[in-house]
Amino acid sequence: MPDRNPETHVIDFRAAEQLLDARDPRGAVKLLDSVIAAHPENTAARLLRARAFFAAAQLRPAELEFELVLEREPDNAFAHFALARTFERAGRPERATRHFRLAAALDPKPEYLRAAKFDEGD
């Protein structure tokens, strides 16, 4: 493996974004593994890897990454929304509802509000 340095990690991160956009989430995860190994505190890389896990239908790893992001950034509306989608896809609607509502409370985007279903009571 070639020498890894901060510059190659940035290149890997950007390439992983491109792979995810090109619908190659497994390739994105592979690139991000080395970035996260070198920079475990990098929330952006973890969020991108969580999205890639979700796109690859690796729901448990996606859940763990989204939760780690939320430990560091509890006000990250997108991470709450994406975690909710992960729970929804895994057949855990009660957990999904909580995070959909947190996402909508943090950022009242129409998509988040619709998913939160505040008008349905509970």
Side-chain angles (χ1 to χ4, degrees), residues 32 45-55 61-62 65-66 69:
L32 290 166
R46 289 197 175 273
L47 189 57
L48 186 60
R49 187 164 72 168
R51 290 177 47 220
F53 279 137
F54 180 84
E65 286 291 346
F66 284 128
V69 168

Side-chain angles (χ1 to χ4, degrees), residues 13-65:
F13 179 86
R14 296 296 178 214
E17 287 178 318
Q18 301 264 326
L19 286 172
L20 190 55
D21 288 344
R23 299 179 195 265
D24 181 4
R26 293 180 193 277
V29 168
K30 189 174 182 179
L31 282 176
L32 290 166
D33 285 345
S34 66
V35 175
I36 290 169
H39 306 281
E41 75 292 345
N42 188 311
T43 304
R46 289 197 175 273
L47 189 57
L48 186 60
R49 187 164 72 168
R51 290 177 47 220
F53 279 137
F54 180 84
Q58 295 180 23
L59 301 181
R60 184 63 180 149
E63 177 186 335
L64 294 173
E65 286 291 346

Side-chain angles (χ1 to χ4, degrees), residues 41-115:
E41 75 292 345
N42 188 311
T43 304
R46 289 197 175 273
L47 189 57
L48 186 60
R49 187 164 72 168
R51 290 177 47 220
F53 279 137
F54 180 84
Q58 295 180 23
L59 301 181
R60 184 63 180 149
E63 177 186 335
L64 294 173
E65 286 291 346
F66 284 128
E67 287 176 340
L68 197 135
V69 168
L70 287 169
E71 282 177 21
R72 295 174 182 177
E73 296 180 3
D75 61 345
N76 187 321
F78 174 79
H80 280 289
F81 183 76
L83 179 59
R85 286 278 184 235
T86 304
F87 285 136
E88 183 178 64
R89 196 168 173 190
R92 297 162 67 193
E94 67 293 336
R95 300 277 320 262
T97 299
R98 177 178 184 270
H99 287 281
F100 279 137
R101 290 181 175 182
L102 284 166
L106 289 165
D107 185 357
K109 287 183 179 179
E111 179 182 13
Y112 295 177
L113 290 169
R114 274 191 304 278

